[in-house]
Amino acid sequence: MQTAMQQGQMPDVAPLPPRKKRRKRRGFLEVFLHKVQKPEVILLSVWWFIMLALVIYMAEMGPMLVAVWRPLAFLLSIPIIFFAILAFATL
């Protein structure tokens, strides 16, 4: 006995349509980390950090920064907190 395929006939079963894979949307943290890991971003960040440290050293602003570190820390924490909330919300 020969099967339908051996005789050159099409089988009775229709082929399944291709399934579309739903890609999970990348979260804010994934996109941010992907962009931050580029070499030019790392180099510019290091450059600006060194420049900031040199300006503080050359202008002798060290004692002044020690005196006002708490308000500065508070001001810096505001965007960091919102960044963390946004990163957690888009996981």
Side-chain angles (χ1 to χ4, degrees), residues 52-64:
L52 176 66
L54 284 174
V55 165
I56 290 172
Y57 174 73
M58 296 298 287
E60 297 177 358
M61 292 172 57
M64 185 188 71

Side-chain angles (χ1 to χ4, degrees), residues 9-48:
Q9 298 173 351
M10 294 298 292
D12 296 345
V13 180
L16 294 174
R19 284 189 166 183
K20 292 183 181 179
K21 291 184 180 179
R22 290 190 92 181
R23 292 184 64 192
K24 183 183 170 196
R25 198 169 156 210
R26 290 176 20 175
F28 173 75
L29 186 61
E30 290 177 273
V31 174
F32 180 77
L33 288 177
H34 182 71
K35 289 182 180 181
V36 168
Q37 290 175 351
K38 293 182 180 178
E40 60 269 19
V41 174
I42 295 170
L43 285 172
L44 274 173
S45 300
V46 170
W47 168 261
W48 282 111

